[in-house]
Amino acid sequence: STSLADLGNLLPHLAQLKLSHSNIPSLRNLGTSLRSLRVLWLNRAGLLSLDGVGSIAETIEELYIAFNHVCDLSPFADDDFGALRILDIDSNEVEDPEQIEFLAGCKAITQLTLENNPVAAKPGYAIFVRENLPGVQLLDDLPIDSEERVVAEDPDEDGKLSEVMLVSESIKLSRLGYEDVAFLCGASAESRVPQSARPQSALSRPCLLYTSPSPRDS
């Protein structure tokens, strides 16, 4: 029988590989023969470890490993990932901000997603990414210096939501089947969405409720 590790030998010019919804606990399962691979999808693949990622370091340009259980990014520090431009680690278990430093060797990276990891809820998260990965332009699908990100990390004294942030939060809630726009825009004093059902990014974000002035204040 043919194993996954033999794939590169059978298809030496393979440039894109989709293995999402598989059961691949470690990148070592891919072997060392994928020498032409440029794009790899491993979303929801039961991935526990990035050990072995160095085998695709020379050619990989886009790596998607969302919705797994990765917490250690140190394997990225063992090789030169000079071609890697997009890295999506959404909804994993990266917690320590120092893990981001292991990506410093990815000089070409411009898009990084760490949303819904514990590290993304840390104070100064975007600042830490910007200092250690100066080439990153998009962080969690937002420009790293965008007004919405500044408000999210350091809300102003009024605590008002920008239109872009309001839409973003509403989309997240709608995916869960809830309609909570009235709360987000201040028309309702309380949210009808149970806290346990709110998106993880919303749970970790400071409360940014804007309350409309009462007639007595006008």
Side-chain angles (χ1 to χ4, degrees), residues 97 118-128 153 204:
V119 68
K122 303 285 186 180
Y125 156 66
I127 296 174
F128 193 83
E153 293 209 349
S204 62

Side-chain angles (χ1 to χ4, degrees), residues 17-187:
L17 180 59
K18 293 185 178 182
L19 291 172
S20 296
H21 302 277
S22 302
N23 183 19
I24 303 176
S26 171
L27 288 178
R28 292 191 182 279
N29 293 43
L30 300 182
T32 59
S33 58
L34 295 169
R35 299 183 181 89
S36 300
L37 193 64
R38 295 187 294 105
V39 186
L40 175 61
W41 290 269
L42 274 172
N43 301 319
R44 299 186 188 276
L47 192 64
L48 301 173
S49 169
L50 292 175
D51 288 344
V53 71
S55 65
I56 57 175
E58 292 185 6
T59 59
I60 194 69
E61 297 176 7
E62 301 178 22
L63 180 59
Y64 302 92
I65 53 172
F67 300 98
N68 286 295
H69 306 284
V70 172
C71 61
D72 180 14
L73 303 183
S74 62
F76 280 107
D78 296 335
D79 294 273
D80 182 13
F81 289 80
L84 185 61
R85 298 180 294 103
I86 300 175
L87 179 59
D88 184 351
I89 320 177
D90 187 358
S91 301
N92 276 267
E93 299 172 10
V94 180
E95 183 171 1
D96 190 342
E98 293 186 358
Q99 290 291 325
I100 296 171
E101 296 179 354
F102 292 127
L103 302 177
C106 305
K107 303 296 186 182
I109 192 168
T110 59
Q111 299 182 37
L112 175 65
T113 303
L114 281 166
E115 189 174 16
N116 299 318
N117 283 262
V119 68
K122 303 285 186 180
Y125 156 66
I127 296 174
F128 193 83
V129 171
R130 185 166 56 243
E131 290 177 348
N132 287 275
L133 305 173
V136 170
Q137 300 171 12
L138 285 180
L139 176 61
D140 301 337
D141 298 319
L142 279 176
I144 195 166
D145 293 317
S146 69
E147 177 185 355
E148 287 70 35
R149 186 173 302 286
V150 172
V151 172
E153 293 209 349
D154 186 20
D156 60 26
E157 60 183 6
D158 292 328
K160 297 180 181 179
L161 286 171
S162 70
E163 291 183 9
V164 174
M165 183 177 284
L166 175 60
V167 171
S168 176
E169 289 297 299
S170 299
I171 290 173
K172 291 176 183 178
L173 291 168
S174 67
R175 288 173 180 167
L176 295 172
Y178 290 102
E179 176 57 59
D180 209 31
V181 176
F183 169 68
L184 287 172
C185 69

